[in-house]
């Protein structure tokens, strides 16, 4: 008795079903990692929230130290005394969880990377975290005292300065984000060079345009005063130069790694 050959459609559907299961597995892994990220933020928030008022006092210290004697910050909204520290505690929780968040992202994408890509990706992720924190610290310890000193000194006589706590929080969070992102310029420069989109020499040739762009970005992201604009533009330019420097080093290593991979 002749055996009946397997159904042609059934044999062709097996790879598709395998690919579909593979996609489902990836989606499940992504969901699990996102849940871990949310859980980490919630845990950090639970730890930070009891100290929310103290955190706000620390955050507002650079401005409160410069207010004239007898003047203080106010809350113009009924809910501001509650929601302003709550918002700050949530942002601090996210900031504190960033290393774990990036670890989860790294664990998800690492299996799809080549060996030489893994060697570069993890150091770049770790460095980006450090640079973001450095940008926020630079804003708090260097920029805020100078900017608030400028604003409190130029006000006309007879005007009582009573900053709103919610407006102040929005301002400082914007500055933290601006300086944190600006300090990522070396990472962005290296990634552009690694991707082949440009070279270190091409970026160096565009230096005059980059300098002008740094001051334009500083003008857009900071208050309309020359101090804060310069304090953002100059570090951006310096970090751009560091990105080119490290980009040249990475660019020199790439051919050697390619040759090593070809030999394997």
């Amino acid at each position: 008795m002749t055996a009946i050959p397997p159904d042609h459609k059934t044999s062709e559907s097996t790879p598709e079903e395998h690919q579909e299961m593979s996609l489902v597995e990836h989606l499940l892994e992504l969901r699990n990692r996102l849940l871990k990220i949310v859980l980490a933020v919630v845990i950090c928030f639970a730890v930070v929230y009891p100290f929310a008022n103290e955190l706000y006092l620390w955050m507002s210290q650079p401005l409160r130290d410069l207010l004239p004697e007898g003047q203080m910050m106010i809350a113009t909204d009924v809910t501001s005394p509650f929601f302003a520290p709550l918002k700050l505690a949530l942002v601090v929780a996210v900031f504190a969880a960033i290393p774990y968040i990036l670890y989860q992202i790294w664990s998800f994408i690492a299996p799809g990377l080549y060996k030489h890509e893994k060697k570069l990706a993890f150091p770049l992720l770790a460095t980006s975290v450090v640079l973001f924190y450095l940008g926020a610290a630079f804003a708090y310890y260097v920029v805020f005292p100078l900017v608030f000193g400028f604003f409190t000194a130029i006000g006309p006589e007879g005007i009582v300065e009573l900053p709103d706590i919610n407006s102040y929080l929005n301002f400082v969070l914007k500055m933290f984000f601006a300086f944190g992102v600006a300090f990522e310029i070396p990472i962005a420069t290296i990634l552009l060079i690694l991707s082949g989109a440009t070279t270190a020499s091409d970026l160096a040739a565009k230096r005059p345009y980059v300098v002008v762009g740094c001051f334009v970005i500083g003008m857009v992201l900071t208050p309309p005063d020359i101090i804060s604009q310069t304090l953002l533009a100059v570090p951006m330019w310096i970090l751009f130069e560091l990105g080119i420097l490290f980009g040249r080093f990475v660019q020199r290593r790439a051919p050697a790694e390619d040759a090593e991979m070809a030999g394997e």
Side-chain angles (χ1 to χ4, degrees):
M1 183 175 180
T2 306
I4 300 175
D7 184 54
H8 181 67
K9 292 183 179 179
T10 303
S11 63
E12 287 185 351
S13 64
T14 302
E16 295 177 359
E17 291 175 357
H18 176 72
Q19 290 176 3
E20 183 178 353
M21 289 299 295
S22 178
L23 176 61
V24 170
E25 290 173 358
H26 282 297
L27 291 176
L28 288 175
E29 183 183 0
L30 178 61
R31 183 200 65 179
N32 292 335
R33 296 200 180 278
L34 289 175
L35 289 175
K36 290 179 180 179
I37 289 173
V38 172
L39 180 61
V41 173
V42 171
I43 293 174
C44 290
F45 177 76
V47 174
V48 168
Y49 181 69
F51 309 98
N53 290 334
E54 289 78 4
L55 278 173
Y56 193 92
L57 289 176
W58 174 79
M59 187 70 66
S60 60
Q61 193 71 37
L63 176 60
R64 290 187 296 110
D65 287 344
L66 296 170
L67 290 175
E69 187 176 354
Q71 297 181 15
M72 61 189 68
M73 301 181 71
I74 62 172
T76 57
D77 191 348
V78 176
T79 59
S80 291
F82 171 76
F83 281 109
L86 177 70
K87 181 179 179 181
L88 177 60
L90 181 59
V91 173
V92 171
V94 174
F95 272 37
I98 282 179
Y100 183 78
I101 293 172
L102 289 180
Y103 169 75
Q104 291 299 325
I105 295 174
W106 163 257
S107 300
F108 181 74
I109 66 174
L113 298 177
Y114 292 107
K115 185 178 179 180
H116 68 285
E117 291 175 335
K118 291 181 181 180
K119 289 181 180 179
L120 288 173
F122 188 76
L124 287 176
L125 282 174
T127 305
S128 65
V129 175
V130 174
L131 287 174
F132 190 88
Y133 287 155
L134 286 176
F138 181 81
Y140 182 84
Y141 290 105
V142 178
V143 179
F144 287 175
L146 295 174
V147 171
F148 296 145
F150 173 77
F151 284 146
T152 55
I154 64 171
E157 291 188 27
I159 300 297
V160 178
E161 297 183 21
L162 300 173
D164 176 62
I165 61 172
N166 196 47
S167 298
Y168 174 81
L169 179 61
N170 292 334
F171 173 82
V172 298
L173 291 181
K174 176 183 176 182
M175 295 289 285
F176 279 145
F177 180 78
F179 278 87
V181 171
F183 272 58
E184 300 294 331
I185 287 179
I187 304 298
T189 304
I190 293 173
L191 290 177
L192 284 173
I193 294 173
L194 285 176
S195 66
T198 185
T199 64
S201 300
D202 291 338
L203 289 174
K206 296 180 175 64
R207 183 178 287 109
Y209 303 101
V210 172
V211 173
V212 173
C214 289
F215 279 91
V216 171
I217 294 173
M219 179 179 62
V220 173
L221 296 181
T222 59
D225 66 279
I226 191 63
I227 297 177
S228 56
Q229 292 172 11
T230 304
L231 287 175
L232 179 59
V234 172
M236 287 175 65
W237 176 32
I238 295 174
L239 291 167
F240 170 75
E241 298 293 341
L242 288 176
I244 293 178
L245 180 63
F246 286 107
R248 293 184 190 277
F249 174 72
V250 171
Q251 201 171 356
R252 284 196 298 268
R253 286 188 57 186
E257 292 179 352
D258 292 340
E260 181 181 347
M261 290 182 60
E264 293 177 358

